[in-house]
């Protein structure tokens, strides 16, 4: 004799081989979010976060520092460094030479924003974005840095920002997860752990669902050979009837809801991930990689398609920005992969009337140093991690275009004015979605937790 719980637990693998860890992503209706009423009128309905893992060099992309070129090869002044710590990778160097950017900068758009020649496509849409040059973080290594940006804590285990969004707002599409993750395929660099899109201590259905390239975008979603759609629907109906014979159980309710979502996703996933259905002019706009599923370009286009289906939070990860050596060549490659599709995403959303209510974010876990890690060559160098100041940008829903916020010193080492902590960025992301970051909380282990912990202020100067 089996209990209801035993039947459901044993069936979790039998009916279509569902992996609950892949499917705990979304509830069926927006009303299922914790917030029955938003804290204020939202400016955005959805978020697309283009996370550049590894730490892009702001000094070679957005933060123009001609003095570094003038003093190229000279030692980092002690008065500039002060008492700030360096990483173990460069802290013991006998020489810490300043290194200027080998790339030309120009003022772009009506706003006259300085942008590197490495980003010609981003330069064309610079009037639609707000560039924050004064972002900063306490994290100095990749694991804690990415975790901090995504979860509000350097220590693993907290819910990520997409999970907080799902918890607060629920989902607007009953056939797709409310929180989707896309990772560029075949990229090296620092590893990305699934905990970065994990639900932490929030209910498990707020976890992000990773879509992969290939014929099986969501693992364990499709039924095994010999199980057709009618049989699967019948099994799910029987499970639901069995469940309703007994008193309610939160765990069982969650599983049943996710089985039902998985069943609906069998029809919705093939349609939304069919990038080949896009017209040629759209594919061409995103660049040659757009026709290759799993690339950053293809993922940007897929993000737009998911946004059209009202997926609440779409997280893209693109690795490869950790340039401790060989930076000139490596950063060119990274920009070639990301610049055109990033700009195309903004243009595409704008042409469809979606940019006004879609928040797009670009940035990594920290920036890079103004000095060379290792030996400075005639045409080659690397930059170490630098959390003291780095660049992030936002565009779309609720954000002013053509704005540059914050200033770093002429050496690009310290912030001169308007420092913006990553908790401030997190508070701002929630704000444009209609959420007061101090009021979206979850009680765990005896206290109320929130994404921004006990910190964070909304970045008012960039708000439209």
């Amino acid at each position: 004799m089996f209990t209801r719980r035993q039947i459901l637990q044993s069936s979790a693998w039998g009916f279509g081989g569902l992996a609950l860890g892949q499917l705990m992503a979304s509830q069926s209706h927006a009303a299922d979010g914790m917030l029955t009423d938003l804290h204020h009128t939202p400016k955005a309905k959805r978020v697309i976060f283009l996370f550049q893992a590894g730490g892009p060099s702001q000094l070679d992309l957005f933060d123009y520092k001609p003095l570094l070129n003038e003093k190229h090869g000279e030692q980092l002044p002690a008065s500039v460094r002060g008492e700030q710590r360096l990483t173990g990778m460069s802290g013991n160097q006998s020489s810490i030479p300043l290194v200027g950017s080998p790339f030309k900068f120009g003022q772009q758009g009506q706003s006259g924003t300085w942008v590197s020649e490495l980003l010609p496509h981003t330069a064309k849409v610079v009037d639609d974005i707000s560039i924050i040059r004064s972002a900063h973080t306490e994290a100095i290594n990749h694991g804690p840095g990415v975790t901090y940006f995504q979860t509000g804590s350097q220590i693993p285990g907290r819910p990520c920002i997409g999970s907080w969004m799902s918890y607060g707002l629920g989902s607007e599409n009953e056939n797709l997860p409310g929180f989707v993750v896309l990772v560029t395929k075949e990229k090296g660099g620092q590893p990305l752990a699934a905990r970065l899109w994990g639900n932490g201590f929030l209910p498990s259905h707020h976890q992000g669902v990773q879509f992969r390239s290939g014929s099986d975008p969501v693992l364990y979603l499709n039924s095994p050979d010999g199980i057709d759609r009618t049989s699967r629907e019948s099994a799910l109906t029987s499970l639901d009837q069995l469940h309703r014979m007994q008193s309610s159980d939160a765990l069982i309710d969650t599983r049943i809801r996710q089985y039902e979502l998985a069943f609906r996703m069998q029809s919705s996933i093939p349609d939304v991930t069919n990038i080949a259905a896009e017209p040629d002019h759209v594919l061409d706009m995103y660049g040659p990689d757009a026709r290759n599923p799993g690339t950053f370009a293809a993922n940007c286009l897929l993000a737009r398609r998911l946004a059209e289906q009202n997926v609440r939070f779409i997280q893209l990860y693109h690795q490869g920005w950790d340039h401790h050596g060989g930076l000139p060549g490596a950063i060119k490659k990274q920009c070639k992969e990301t610049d055109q599709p990033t700009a195309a995403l903004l243009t595409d959303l704008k042409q469809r009337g979606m940019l006004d209510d879609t928040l797009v974010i670009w940035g990594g876990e920290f920036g890079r140093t103004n000095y060379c890690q290792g030996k400075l060559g005639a045409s080659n160098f690397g930059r170490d991690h630098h959390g003291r100041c780095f660049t992030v940008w936002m565009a779309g829903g609720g954000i002013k275009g053509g704005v540059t916020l914050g200033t770093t010193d002429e050496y690009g080492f310290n912030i001169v004015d308007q420092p913006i902590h990553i908790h401030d960025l997190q508070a701002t992301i929630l704000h444009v979605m209609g959420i007061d970051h101090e009021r979206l909380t979850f009680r765990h282990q005896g206290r109320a937790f929130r994404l921004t912990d006990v910190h964070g202020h909304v970045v008012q100067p960039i708000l439209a």
Side-chain angles (χ1 to χ4, degrees):
M1 186 70 179
F2 292 97
T3 67
R4 175 172 57 112
R5 184 182 297 275
Q6 289 171 329
I7 291 173
L8 286 168
Q9 288 175 336
S10 63
S11 298
W13 302 103
F15 291 101
L18 295 180
L20 292 177
Q22 287 292 322
L23 300 176
M24 299 297 186
S26 165
Q27 296 171 319
S28 295
H29 304 287
D32 289 335
M34 190 277 292
L35 300 177
T36 55
D37 294 302
L38 294 178
H39 299 140
H40 52 261
T41 303
K43 296 291 186 179
K45 294 180 178 179
R46 64 196 73 84
V47 176
I48 301 175
F49 196 159
L50 309 175
F51 195 82
Q52 311 302 308
S57 171
Q58 75 283 4
L59 297 171
D60 296 289
L61 298 177
F62 293 107
D63 202 0
Y64 180 45
K65 296 299 174 188
L67 182 67
L68 288 182
N69 291 73
E70 295 175 16
K71 295 186 176 293
H72 183 84
E74 297 182 16
Q75 294 298 299
L76 173 66
S79 60
V80 174
R81 175 183 171 181
E83 300 298 323
Q84 296 178 43
R85 65 173 178 162
L86 307 181
T87 74
M89 292 172 285
S90 61
N92 296 321
Q93 290 181 193
S94 59
S95 175
I96 305 180
L98 297 169
V99 56
S101 177
F103 306 107
K104 296 179 181 179
F105 278 73
Q107 290 181 282
Q108 306 294 336
Q110 294 183 352
S111 58
T113 303
W114 288 98
V115 180
S116 167
E117 64 179 332
L118 291 171
L119 302 173
H121 296 279
T122 300
K124 295 176 182 178
V125 297
V126 74
D127 286 335
D128 291 321
I129 68 180
S130 279
I131 296 177
I132 300 172
R133 290 178 178 160
S134 53
H136 65 99
T137 175
E138 295 85 1
I140 200 169
N141 289 313
H142 296 288
V146 181
T147 304
Y148 202 11
F149 209 135
Q150 296 298 327
T151 72
S153 172
Q154 296 188 56
I155 301 173
R158 300 279 185 91
C160 69
I161 188 170
S163 293
W164 278 110
M165 202 77 74
S166 174
Y167 166 67
L169 302 177
S171 174
E172 287 192 319
N173 188 322
E174 64 178 11
N175 297 320
L176 289 170
F179 175 19
V180 172
V181 178
L182 306 171
V183 180
T184 304
K185 68 178 182 180
E186 299 172 359
K187 290 293 293 182
Q190 297 295 324
L192 297 172
R195 60 176 171 76
L196 295 173
W197 49 92
N199 57 287
F201 46 70
L202 294 176
S204 57
H205 51 273
H206 298 301
Q207 175 177 307
V209 174
Q210 184 179 353
F211 282 20
R212 293 166 167 82
S213 59
S215 59
D216 203 11
V218 179
L219 297 182
Y220 313 113
L221 178 65
N222 294 323
S223 300
D225 294 340
I227 303 294
D228 59 23
R229 184 172 178 83
T230 302
S231 298
R232 188 181 184 90
E233 184 174 15
S234 176
L236 290 174
T237 300
S238 298
L239 283 173
D240 184 58
Q241 292 173 345
L242 181 63
H243 162 65
R244 295 179 188 281
M245 292 171 60
Q246 304 294 328
S247 60
S248 179
D249 180 286
L251 175 62
I252 302 302
D253 287 342
T254 296
R255 289 194 175 192
I256 287 293
R257 188 162 55 243
Q258 296 313 310
Y259 287 143
E260 293 171 346
L261 172 61
F263 179 71
R264 296 190 298 271
M265 285 168 60
Q266 285 187 326
S267 296
S268 62
I269 293 294
D271 181 59
V272 76
T273 58
N274 183 20
I275 292 176
E278 293 286 337
D280 285 342
H281 74 274
V282 172
L283 292 165
D284 292 342
M285 180 170 62
Y286 281 84
D289 289 343
R291 291 176 169 82
N292 184 1
T295 61
F296 183 77
N299 285 346
C300 282
L301 180 50
L302 178 54
R304 190 224 78 207
R305 292 173 64 87
L306 290 166
E308 284 183 305
Q309 299 301 315
N310 291 319
V311 173
R312 183 84 68 184
F313 199 95
I314 306 158
Q315 176 81 66
L316 277 67
Y317 285 97
H318 186 78
Q319 297 161 282
W321 294 95
D322 190 24
H323 300 150
H324 293 277
L327 183 145
I331 199 170
K332 282 182 181 179
K333 182 176 184 295
Q334 289 294 106
C335 291
K336 184 177 180 180
E337 292 173 349
T338 61
D339 176 43
Q340 183 173 351
T342 297
L345 175 61
L346 295 185
T347 301
D348 200 3
L349 290 169
K350 191 173 184 178
Q351 289 176 347
R352 295 168 189 270
M354 295 175 60
L355 186 58
D356 287 343
D357 59 10
T358 303
L359 175 65
V360 182
I361 310 156
W362 183 99
E365 62 267 37
F366 40 58
R368 313 304 294 195
T369 56
N370 62 353
Y371 60 83
C372 179
Q373 179 181 336
K375 185 178 180 180
L376 176 58
S379 59
N380 196 20
F381 63 90
R383 297 188 191 274
D384 202 355
H385 307 165
H386 192 64
R388 183 64 182 169
C389 54
F390 63 104
T391 297
V392 173
W393 62 252
M394 295 185 182
I399 301 298
K400 290 180 183 177
V403 172
T404 299
L405 181 68
T407 307
T408 57
D409 64 31
E410 57 185 352
Y411 287 89
F413 196 85
N414 296 296
I415 295 173
V416 172
D417 69 339
Q418 297 179 300
I420 304 298
H421 191 269
I422 58 170
H423 284 314
D424 302 329
L425 298 173
Q426 293 159 347
T428 305
I429 294 168
L430 294 179
H431 176 83
V432 299
M433 295 292 286
I435 300 172
D436 181 342
H437 71 105
E438 294 184 349
R439 297 167 62 189
L440 181 64
T441 62
F442 187 88
R443 194 158 189 85
H444 175 66
Q445 294 184 339
R447 81 169 177 95
F449 284 81
R450 70 187 204 216
L451 172 64
T452 52
D453 197 37
V454 295
H455 310 284
H457 301 279
V458 175
V459 185
Q460 296 289 344
I462 68 170
L463 297 182

